[in-house]
Amino acid sequence: MNIDIALKEAMSISGAIGVALVDYDSGMSLGTSGGGDWLNLEIAAAGNTEVIRSKLRVISALGLNDSIEDILITLHRQYHLIRLMGGVKARGSLFLYLVLEREVANLAMARHQLKRIESELTI
């Protein structure tokens, strides 16, 4: 699955508002879909790189022998799901960022579908 197909698949998840594939080393997105005037995915992608970097520093400082699977941020009306792309060969600094409408989304199914997309994505 290429980036365009992966983004289309993510946007087909129930409640999806927007999605981005982002490199957290650079903060740049490799592709986006959805969003709109009130959700600037480029700004959100860059900001979420700081969330990931911060959590990675904490994991390192604590000496944990573990890795991040995903990060969930819950808002009153939305879920913001950040899924690190551990399965993408030679590109360990990528993540999928998915924004869901909370009233419509099924969080467990969304996580399952992002995991599937991650496993099928080739860069």
Side-chain angles (χ1 to χ4, degrees):
M1 173 183 312
N2 67 26
I3 293 172
D4 289 334
I5 293 171
L7 295 174
K8 286 178 188 171
E9 292 268 332
M11 284 302 294
S12 73
I13 295 172
S14 180
I17 298 170
V19 63
L21 178 64
V22 185
D23 181 338
Y24 67 79
D25 281 340
S26 68
M28 302 297 290
S29 76
L30 282 67
T32 64
S33 183
D37 293 339
W38 59 271
L39 177 60
N40 184 322
L41 287 168
E42 296 292 332
I43 292 172
N48 282 313
T49 63
E50 294 304 316
V51 172
I52 292 171
R53 291 175 189 162
S54 177
K55 190 60 186 172
L56 289 172
R57 282 191 301 271
V58 170
I59 288 171
S60 177
L62 292 173
L64 300 177
N65 186 20
D66 212 342
S67 60
I68 299 170
E69 185 174 331
D70 55 35
I71 297 170
L72 173 64
I73 300 168
T74 57
L75 304 178
H76 290 289
R77 296 186 182 123
Q78 299 171 354
Y79 292 125
H80 291 234
L81 187 56
I82 301 167
R83 171 124 189 131
L84 273 70
M85 305 290 290
V88 178
K89 294 168 185 62
R91 291 301 304 250
S93 64
L94 298 180
F95 69 93
L96 277 168
Y97 169 60
L98 178 65
V99 179
L100 300 164
E101 184 180 346
R102 191 170 176 163
E103 288 186 10
V104 178
N106 178 324
L107 185 57
M109 284 303 298
R111 290 183 70 223
H112 177 73
Q113 289 171 296
L114 278 184
K115 185 175 184 177
R116 181 189 56 77
I117 292 168
E118 171 198 359
S119 71
E120 296 177 11
L121 179 61
T122 56
I123 305 292

